[in-house]
Amino acid sequence: MRESLASGVAVALISAAVLAYEILLMALFSLIQWHHFAFLVVSIALLGFGFSGSFLALARSRLAHHGADFMSSQALAFALAAPASFALAQRLSFNPEELIWDPGHWLRLGLVILLLMLPFFFAANLIGFALDAYRRRQARIYAADLAGAGTGALALIALLALLPPASLLRAIGFLGCAAGLALWLARPDRSRARLAALAVVVAALALYPARWSAPLISPYKEMSQLLRVSGARVLAERHGPLGLVSVVDSGAIPWRHAPGLSLVARGEPLPQLALFTNAGAPSAITRYRGERDALAYLDQMTSALPYHVAAPARVLVLGAGGGADVLQALFHDAARIDAVELNPQVVELVGRDFAEFSGGIYSHPRVSIHVADARGFLERDGARYDLIQVPPLDPGGGAGTALQGLNENFVYTVDALARALERLAPGGTIALTRWVALPPRDNLKLFATALAALARAGLEAPEHHLALIRGLQTSTLLISRDALEGDAIARLRDFADARLFDSVYYPGMPRALANRYNRLDTPAFYDGIQALLGPGRDDFMRDYKFELQPATDDRPFHFHFARLGTLVELMRLRDSGGGGLLETGYLTLLVALVLAVALSLGLILIPLLALRRRARDASGAGGLRVPLYFAAIGLGFLLLEITFLQKYVLLLRHPVVAAATVLASFLIGAGLGSAFAQRHAGKRRARRVLCIAVAAILVLGCGYLLLFDALLAALAAASTGVRLLLGVALIAPLAFCLGLPFPLGLAALGAGTPALVPWAWGINGCASVAGAILATLLAIHFGFDAVIAIALGCYALAAATFPRLEDDRKRRPVVKTASE
């Protein structure tokens, strides 16, 4: 009794630790690279748990008499592996950019996956053995597993605001030690040797140098490059759930950030401090002393265009960062400026810690600062604006840009721009400044998105409401509530010509006026836009080398431009300049899928082949029924989980927060469903219960397809707490139903051919590992709704297959195998 209770406590502690570790890896990937790689982290976790299942199935008889020692050893192994595996994985120096040039980085990625898998493997060994060893108290142990997992996910979000990531890795290791201590206290003998082993691990963690697990940020990220400059130093850092915010000073060699500054600008940018989020997305804190004339250089950037086409009195800045766009609005005498910034630590640094340096711009009488998500602010704010300014806060070219294709962005979508149009006052404009990339793709895709948004808003002749200019580095797209005519077009041309910016498009613009200053071989931007406006638009978008379909809330991947055919072509041309055009984030996704499938086959399925052959020889079982059923529910579950994880970024504003909420909700809900299924498993009513569960999944899934966007839009205006609670409530009933098919299927299979159970578990694990990555790939190409529909199809297939499993059980004699 005491040992089973201690096992429950140990399972709760290790579950909290392992889920916290999983989410922490996403936060660390965001810092080290340019993406959270949530799909890869989930796949790694599932690979560890799947490998554990095959290991326990094969080693079950040998471990049966060493249960307590085995669980204790796995708790301590997890404690050591949590910080050590991450530290070792970093030393492999995997760089997604080099997948293009060096096939050795495919191997490095595989080794990274294996190293990061180890903590999940050890934790899964403890949990799986406890569930198997204490079957009479299995429900309580399972409940402890779920409670611990949910607590760990939510606790990590709070701890990210208090401790740096390296310290959290050690803290997670100490949770593993606590699990080992709980098991030791329950032992009757309380062996001194085991206590000594525990003490050694605790001492090792206490003495473990934090620098060993300190994030090794990619040398290609913007902050890494700046810190290479002589005299550059970090002045301040803030850790939080939204990442690491850093302020860097480069005194010896001044750092200046003025995106799109005209080549003929006369005014010099003011002294600045660099502001980075997760070592990238640079912004600038500008030294301001209240002198308006000192800000004249801000009028020499493409983003100043809307202030010359009209004279906006009320301005909304989405993505305030260090405040450069706020200063630009102040320079142009905007009467009221609402600045929206997602990260409260950015506001704290600019508005408090460096208030004297920045001139207290966030406390200026004409400025109101709002700590909020840009999209959420648009949804809930009822004010009308003369100008909505959207600056470019993503990496401006280089390595980071190539990985942006995997990032969800709910600002550059048709839905977001249509919502922004509703927030404009009569005569108001939206200005979106983007980086210039060649061949044209980002700017053309954004133009197509704006056309779709204007059409959705019901404006006739959308092409009369758009204008685009470009400089050497940036372009600015103007979306006007009213048609652009006469004086407005003349002011646009005067502004562009005076600063040597190229006019790319305005209503009635002739081709001869394009490509005059920042010359290309052909006026590619002008020609591309004319093709988007012409009768051959569909053919142009289909045949273009890059993806130009407008991003939507269902496919919020504005930065994804890769096509499979173009990817293959660019790989062939990588030594001739094609490598710079490759979207390495997409390539990483494809490579990760191949590696995940290969590793899951090698670590999960192939080791279980012997058990399957033995069971098939004993019972005569065969065919595709077992793999179809368990692959379908494994794939379906992960397709839904990853889709919610990505879609909840819109609801909860940040991928790490969304991951914690979605993973905890799915795990707890599915666990409760599995506990409920245990009451019916192996009984005649099991088939009926499964059919009801699948019917509920199909009904809920169809409901999400029809109502999900409306529900998210309604919740977007709510407070963070309300959004969090209602977000969990949306997932809970679906997750509960998703927890039923797996235990019901195992019971139906185990009643007739129990030796096939590990094989079924392995099939489910392989499908889950692949599903975690496949969900992102499908969402990029077909959208979230299509992924949900495919997942529902998987469960429909499972419902059709389950009765046949049950029929097999009725026909075959029960045969015990050696593995039992």
Side-chain angles (χ1 to χ4, degrees):
M1 172 69 179
R2 188 170 66 177
E3 288 188 7
S4 66
L5 180 62
S7 296
V9 173
V11 165
L13 291 170
I14 208 71
S15 296
V18 77
L19 201 62
Y21 177 70
E22 182 174 356
I23 296 168
L24 181 59
L25 284 180
M26 298 179 195
L28 287 167
F29 271 126
S30 293
L31 175 57
I32 295 168
Q33 299 291 341
W34 288 267
H35 190 264
H36 51 77
F37 291 108
F39 62 88
L40 182 60
V41 174
V42 173
S43 184
I44 289 171
L46 291 168
L47 184 65
F49 273 75
F51 182 33
S52 169
S54 62
F55 171 77
L56 291 175
L58 295 171
R60 182 180 178 187
S61 58
R62 297 182 181 180
L63 297 174
H65 302 294
H66 307 281
D69 290 339
F70 176 71
M71 286 193 293
S72 296
S73 69
Q74 298 309 289
L76 298 184
F78 171 85
L80 292 173
S85 62
F86 177 75
L88 291 173
Q90 287 199 107
R91 267 72 186 171
L92 291 173
S93 301
F94 167 69
N95 177 21
E97 291 295 308
E98 295 189 48
L99 286 172
I100 304 168
W101 314 102
D102 184 2
H105 277 264
W106 290 50
L107 176 60
R108 292 190 190 190
L109 178 57
L111 292 174
V112 167
I113 292 173
L114 289 174
L115 282 169
L116 296 180
M117 179 201 73
L118 289 176
F120 297 106
F121 171 72
F122 295 132
N125 281 343
L126 191 157
I127 297 168
F129 191 90
L131 287 169
D132 186 60
Y134 302 101
R135 294 185 181 182
R136 292 185 178 180
R137 299 186 177 274
Q138 197 173 66
R140 292 184 180 180
I141 292 175
Y142 201 59
D145 176 27
L146 299 171
T151 302
L154 299 177
L156 183 78
I157 298 301
L159 289 173
L160 278 171
L162 303 174
L163 297 171
S167 298
L168 286 175
L169 281 170
R170 284 199 298 176
I172 288 171
F174 281 123
L175 273 180
C177 293
L181 178 62
L183 293 168
W184 180 81
L185 290 173
R187 291 296 302 273
D189 54 355
R190 295 192 179 178
S191 165
R192 291 185 178 181
R194 298 188 187 96
L195 181 61
L198 176 61
V200 168
V201 174
V202 170
L205 286 174
L207 297 174
Y208 182 86
R211 66 178 184 278
W212 288 4
S213 292
L216 300 179
I217 299 170
S218 169
Y220 303 103
K221 296 196 82 169
E222 291 83 353
M223 189 174 81
S224 299
Q225 294 182 20
L226 179 57
L227 289 176
R228 292 180 178 180
V229 175
S230 176
R233 60 195 179 96
V234 177
L235 297 181
E237 284 188 336
R238 297 288 184 276
H239 299 274
L242 301 183
L244 172 68
V245 180
S246 309
V247 178
V248 179
D249 179 31
S250 178
I253 303 176
W255 181 84
R256 297 293 181 264
H257 185 69
L261 187 66
S262 169
L263 295 176
V264 295
R266 295 180 180 178
E268 180 183 350
L270 290 171
Q272 295 174 331
L273 300 176
L275 179 70
F276 298 98
T277 300
N278 277 334
S283 180
I285 305 176
T286 303
R287 191 179 70 186
Y288 179 54
R289 296 292 181 263
E291 298 176 359
R292 181 180 181 277
D293 291 345
L295 300 176
Y297 72 95
L298 294 171
D299 191 46
Q300 303 297 308
M301 299 160 64
T302 62
S303 57
L305 171 65
Y307 295 102
H308 289 260
V309 173
R314 186 166 187 181
V315 176
L316 173 63
V317 177
L318 297 178
D325 291 274
V326 174
L327 288 174
Q328 189 180 62
L330 288 172
F331 174 79
H332 289 98
D333 299 321
R336 180 171 177 181
I337 305 157
D338 290 279
V340 178
E341 171 55 45
L342 172 63
N343 198 326
Q345 294 166 321
V346 170
V347 176
E348 179 182 302
L349 284 166
V350 178
R352 189 188 69 185
D353 296 17
F354 292 91
E356 182 178 356
F357 184 88
S358 67
I361 57 170
Y362 285 166
S363 302
H364 193 283
R366 287 187 279 156
V367 177
S368 298
I369 186 72
H370 306 272
V371 178
D373 168 71
R375 181 64 184 278
F377 189 84
L378 285 175
E379 297 288 349
R380 72 170 183 266
D381 181 50
R384 294 291 184 268
Y385 297 93
D386 301 305
L387 170 62
I388 297 177
Q389 183 81 277
V390 184
L393 294 180
D394 54 296
T401 306
L403 281 166
Q404 292 294 309
L406 299 179
N407 284 343
E408 312 89 351
N409 187 294
F410 291 96
V411 173
Y412 299 117
T413 67
V414 174
D415 311 76
L417 294 184
R419 191 64 170 168
L421 283 167
E422 296 175 5
R423 292 286 171 263
L424 291 179
T429 57
I430 304 168
L432 301 109
T433 299
R434 297 293 313 139
W435 303 102
V436 170
L438 296 172
R441 44 196 186 276
D442 187 324
N443 310 102
L444 295 185
K445 188 170 185 176
L446 190 59
F447 193 92
T449 304
L451 282 172
L454 288 163
R456 180 178 294 187
L459 295 175
E460 296 182 3
E463 66 274 13
H464 292 164
H465 297 258
L466 294 170
L468 177 65
I469 65 170
R470 69 173 178 91
L472 186 64
Q473 289 183 315
T474 65
S475 69
T476 294
L477 174 66
L478 209 62
I479 308 173
S480 176
R481 183 182 178 92
D482 298 337
L484 293 170
E485 300 173 335
D487 291 344
I489 293 175
R491 289 192 293 271
L492 180 150
R493 289 183 58 184
D494 290 343
F495 171 85
D497 290 342
R499 293 156 181 80
L500 301 189
F501 296 143
D502 286 290
S503 295
V504 176
Y505 174 80
Y506 54 78
M509 176 180 167
R511 191 173 190 268
L513 294 181
N515 199 34
R516 298 169 62 197
Y517 304 117
N518 304 278
R519 294 183 60 85
L520 306 174
D521 291 339
T522 63
F525 287 89
Y526 177 90
D527 291 343
I529 286 176
Q530 294 302 318
L532 290 173
L533 294 172
R537 165 192 168 95
D538 293 339
D539 292 338
F540 172 74
M541 296 183 76
R542 184 189 64 243
D543 298 336
Y544 200 66
K545 292 291 186 180
F546 299 95
E547 177 62 56
L548 298 181
Q549 285 293 334
T552 65
D553 283 355
D554 187 49
R555 290 178 62 197
F557 302 96
H558 170 77
F559 303 109
H560 172 73
F561 308 105
R563 287 181 164 173
L564 283 175
T566 305
L567 188 68
V568 173
E569 180 181 351
L570 292 176
M571 283 293 290
R572 289 200 304 264
L573 298 173
R574 63 185 182 275
D575 294 327
S576 305
L581 301 177
L582 275 167
E583 194 172 299
T584 50
Y586 187 69
L587 180 61
T588 303
L589 182 67
L590 296 176
V591 173
L593 178 61
V594 172
L595 291 175
V597 171
L599 290 173
S600 60
L601 289 174
L603 296 177
I604 302 172
L605 219 53
I606 293 177
L608 295 173
L609 281 174
L611 291 179
R612 179 182 182 273
R613 283 196 294 268
R614 198 184 315 161
R616 185 177 59 191
D617 293 342
S619 62
L624 295 175
R625 292 186 296 277
V626 171
L628 276 178
Y629 180 84
F630 288 98
I633 60 176
L635 182 61
F637 187 95
L638 263 295
L639 290 179
L640 288 172
E641 184 179 63
I642 298 297
T643 299
F644 272 76
L645 192 152
Q646 292 179 309
K647 195 136 187 170
Y648 263 47
V649 174
L650 174 59
L651 176 65
L652 300 176
R653 319 301 193 219
H654 193 272
V656 175
V657 178
T661 304
V662 171
L663 290 176
S665 300
F666 264 87
L667 284 172
I668 293 174
L672 293 174
S674 296
F676 175 80
Q678 294 296 330
R679 302 179 182 179
H680 308 283
K683 299 179 181 178
R684 290 184 177 180
R685 60 178 178 270
R687 176 179 177 179
R688 183 177 61 188
V689 171
L690 177 84
C691 290
I692 293 172
V694 171
I697 291 169
L698 297 177
V699 170
L700 288 169
C702 292
Y704 291 137
L705 287 173
L706 295 174
L707 303 173
F708 202 41
D709 290 338
L711 287 170
L712 288 179
L715 291 177
S719 66
T720 301
V722 170
R723 281 187 281 110
L724 189 63
L725 290 174
L726 292 180
V728 171
L730 280 175
I731 292 175
L734 177 65
F736 179 86
C737 295
L738 293 175
L740 273 69
F742 186 68
L744 292 175
L746 284 181
L749 180 65
T753 54
L756 276 181
V757 169
W759 168 250
W761 196 298
I763 292 170
N764 182 266
C766 287
S768 299
V769 170
I773 300 175
L774 192 60
T776 300
L777 188 63
L778 290 171
I780 287 174
H781 285 285
F782 305 107
F784 294 131
D785 288 350
V787 179
I788 293 175
I790 294 171
L792 298 182
C794 289
Y795 278 97
L797 175 63
T801 310
F802 181 82
R804 300 190 70 181
L805 284 172
E806 199 172 53
D807 292 342
D808 288 340
R809 178 180 63 80
K810 292 175 181 177
R811 286 198 303 267
R812 297 189 187 100
V814 176
V815 180
K816 298 290 183 179
T817 68
S819 66
E820 299 181 82

